Amino acid sequence: MVVITENEEGKRPINRPTLFYMVHCGKALYNNLLWRNWSPQQLAQTILIGNSFKGIEERSPARILQRDYTYISSILAVTEEAAFPDSNRYLDVFNDTSIHQFPREKLDAKPKEFWEGAAEPMYQQCEDLEIIQNG
């Protein structure tokens, strides 16, 4: 197991099956993680426990999601998401938590152009940025 000791802003590249535990993080962290691993090879090896992408989609205006969180918006259609079971005891801890997987078959079904030209997110117009940025 590797525990990240410095602020990478969620931009952690992977090259083997990896579990990310990112409960109650801001959308920018998820978006950065997706961007850094924006390929079928990498995303197929990613399991993410964190805020529900479906919930993010429901609570965010489409134009904002597409403008500020492009990678979340783009990956929604091929994400398999399973919500954590409701628990009265831990409702405030695990509410809106899901396990996200990105099946290789669905990723491979996307056209090559879908994966090309992945620009690093900048968040210049973002009004609800929830991330501690480096520098």
Side-chain angles (χ1 to χ4, degrees), residues 30 44 51 55 67 87 99 103-104 111 122:
Y30 302 115
N51 296 0
R67 182 191 71 199
S87 167
I99 300 172
R104 184 63 188 254
M122 299 307 292

Side-chain angles (χ1 to χ4, degrees), residues 9-14 20 22 27-40 42-44 46-48 51 53 56 65 69-76 78-79 100-102 107 114-115 118-121 123:
E9 298 178 349
K11 299 172 185 172
R12 178 62 139 187
I14 66 164
F20 289 95
M22 300 173 62
K27 294 183 286 287
L29 281 174
Y30 302 115
N31 199 57
N32 287 350
L33 179 69
L34 293 169
W35 164 73
R36 178 55 80 189
N37 295 287
W38 196 248
S39 75
Q42 289 172 286
L43 288 175
T46 303
I47 298 174
L48 172 61
N51 296 0
F53 284 6
I56 290 171
L65 194 60
Y69 307 107
T70 305
Y71 298 98
I72 295 173
S73 176
S74 297
I75 207 68
L76 285 166
V78 295
T79 303
H100 304 83
Q101 293 181 298
F102 311 97
L107 299 170
F114 180 80
W115 304 107
E120 182 173 358
Y123 309 109

Side-chain angles (χ1 to χ4, degrees), residues 40-122:
Q41 298 80 14
Q42 289 172 286
L43 288 175
Q45 297 186 78
T46 303
I47 298 174
L48 172 61
I49 298 174
N51 296 0
S52 166
F53 284 6
K54 291 177 187 172
I56 290 171
E57 179 184 33
E58 291 169 1
R59 290 185 301 275
S60 304
R63 65 180 175 73
I64 299 295
L65 194 60
Q66 292 166 1
R67 182 191 71 199
D68 296 337
Y69 307 107
T70 305
Y71 298 98
I72 295 173
S73 176
S74 297
I75 207 68
L76 285 166
V78 295
T79 303
E80 286 189 0
E81 179 174 324
F84 268 37
D86 289 335
S87 167
N88 290 334
R89 183 173 180 188
Y90 299 110
L91 187 59
D92 58 336
V93 178
F94 294 113
N95 66 321
D96 198 40
T97 301
S98 293
I99 300 172
H100 304 83
Q101 293 181 298
F102 311 97
R104 184 63 188 254
E105 317 79 61
K106 290 184 177 183
L107 299 170
D108 285 341
K110 288 290 191 184
K112 182 179 170 188
E113 298 76 32
F114 180 80
W115 304 107
E116 294 175 346
E120 182 173 358
M122 299 307 292

